[in-house]
Structures are given as C-alpha cells and as structure tokens.
Amino acid sequence: MMKQEFTVTVYTENQIGLLNRIAIMFSRRKINIESLNTSPSEVEGIHRFTIVINELEEVVKKLVRQIEKQVEVLKAYYNTAEEIIWQELALYKVPTDEIAEKVKVERLLREYGARAVVIRKDYTVFETTGQREETNKLIAVLEPYGLIEFVRSARVAIIKASSGFHSKLKEFEKKEPSEDVIENEYLGKGDEVFTM
C-alpha cells in the first residue's frame, strides 16, 4: 500500500485548545500536516478544519475515528482529491518596472487568471486561485522577471457527493424528543445520525 493525499474535514464547536489537541494527534503518529485551514462553517457556532496529509488510508481511518472522540468534535471525514472540489489562493510580488516594461508578463498573468491587487512604484502584487500545480506554474513563469515574494494559503475544500453537514445537523435537531427521556438515546448511533 502506498501513501496518498487525503483531505480531512472536521466540524467542531469553537473551543480554545482544540486545535492544539488535534495537532498533537497528528504529531504523535508522526504525520506531517501539509495544509491546515480553520474557518467558521455554514452552521452558526460550528467551525470547520480542513487538513491535508499524505498517509495510508488505514492510518487516516484510525486518525479520523480518534479525532471524533474529542468532546467538541461533531463529525470528521476524510476524502481523496477526486472526492472534493478544492482551491488555494496565491499572492505574487514582482517589481513594477519589470511588469510595466515587459508587456508579455501581463499577457502571461491574464493566461493564468491572475489580477493585480496592489500596484506601487517599487512592486506589484498579483493574486490567483487554483490548485497547487496551477499556482506553482505561475511561480516558474514569474521568477525570470524578479519574483520578490510568494505566499499560498491553505486549502479550502467542499465534498462533491455531500449534501453538506448543515442538513445533517438540521435533521438531528428536528428529531422530536420522546415523552420519556431516554438516556444516551443516540449513543453508538453516530453513523445513523450523521452518515453522508
């Protein structure tokens, strides 16, 4: 079996220290995090972690189960690149005089879907979004023109085959409570309640 790229998506309550506890789970298993993004999700009060790793699927399965055992974690998934739609944002800083003098650079930037976000006398900053291979190509193109600085964001991803966590959470909230309180009614039924 070979390692491959997986995107782990974790829906959590926004609690102090949770990011650290999740990061420790990766470091204990000696798994390097390639990319990490945290942001509010479509559900108020719920945050979403998007974590990119290269690992064996069986290791990722165990890791995701371990992450879900955290009290504040509502659900965790892992997906291959084919199962998600993803993008990264990249910024490139280049000398303005080089850009102004060489018209073909502007043409190249249009080819790569880049746009100027800051133009100063000494430098111009361009931004583009895309997959890593696309943003890397533009680095190679701009280097001969004096690329001063480059930065890329973490991955943002949406699962293709999913109706989203929001609808699952709403279904869970809609379930009418029974007249008699049933202790631990949903214990062990996480797959039934949250299956996607």
Side-chain angles (χ1 to χ4, degrees):
M1 292 185 97
M2 286 182 55
K3 289 184 178 184
Q4 63 174 328
E5 186 180 85
F6 289 99
T7 299
V8 177
T9 305
V10 184
Y11 286 94
T12 72
E13 294 175 16
N14 190 17
Q15 296 290 326
I16 294 169
L18 181 60
L19 175 59
N20 187 43
R21 289 204 312 276
I22 289 175
I24 286 169
M25 289 182 194
F26 287 85
S27 59
R28 276 194 196 133
R29 291 169 177 76
K30 296 183 175 28
I31 298 171
N32 186 43
I33 294 174
E34 304 287 330
S35 169
L36 170 64
N37 178 47
T38 65
S39 67
S41 74
E42 64 278 14
V43 182
E44 194 178 335
I46 305 300
H47 271 60
R48 177 185 182 132
F49 289 59
T50 304
I51 306 163
V52 180
I53 57 174
N54 279 295
E55 196 44 81
L56 299 172
E57 186 170 11
E58 60 191 62
V59 173
V60 178
K61 264 186 201 172
K62 288 177 187 170
L63 176 67
V64 166
R65 280 200 298 267
Q66 200 66 39
I67 290 170
E68 280 194 332
K69 288 182 182 173
Q70 295 295 309
V71 173
E72 302 88 347
V73 172
L74 301 168
K75 191 66 183 165
Y77 304 96
Y78 70 92
N79 297 95
T80 62
E82 296 78 39
E83 297 171 325
I84 58 171
I85 298 163
W86 65 275
Q87 295 282 285
E88 294 172 341
L89 170 76
L91 296 174
Y92 311 79
K93 187 195 286 182
V94 291
T96 298
D97 57 354
E98 287 286 315
I99 294 296
E101 284 174 28
K102 302 190 170 80
V103 179
K104 68 178 184 177
V105 174
E106 283 185 15
R107 202 174 325 123
L108 286 171
L109 292 169
R110 280 196 304 272
E111 247 175 67
Y112 288 90
R115 67 179 188 93
V117 288
V118 172
I119 301 172
R120 290 184 20 165
K121 269 194 259 183
D122 50 343
Y123 66 80
T124 299
V125 175
F126 292 95
E127 69 94 17
T128 188
T129 56
Q131 299 200 344
R132 187 154 295 183
E133 299 76 25
E134 297 165 327
T135 55
N136 279 348
K137 282 180 192 169
L138 192 51
I139 296 172
V141 167
L142 290 173
E143 273 177 343
Y145 301 99
L147 179 63
I148 300 167
E149 196 175 343
F150 165 75
V151 66
R152 179 176 24 233
S153 72
R155 175 177 296 184
V156 291
I158 291 178
I159 301 165
K160 284 181 186 176
S162 168
S163 61
F165 181 72
H166 182 81
S167 62
K168 294 293 173 188
L169 193 61
K170 290 297 173 201
E171 280 174 35
F172 184 62
E173 287 175 351
K174 266 193 245 170
K175 289 194 181 268
E176 295 291 328
S178 57
E179 288 178 28
D180 300 319
V181 174
I182 301 169
E183 209 172 315
N184 297 330
E185 185 177 2
Y186 294 105
L187 196 63
K189 294 185 180 180
D191 289 344
E192 291 172 38
V193 178
F194 291 112
T195 301
M196 288 201 160

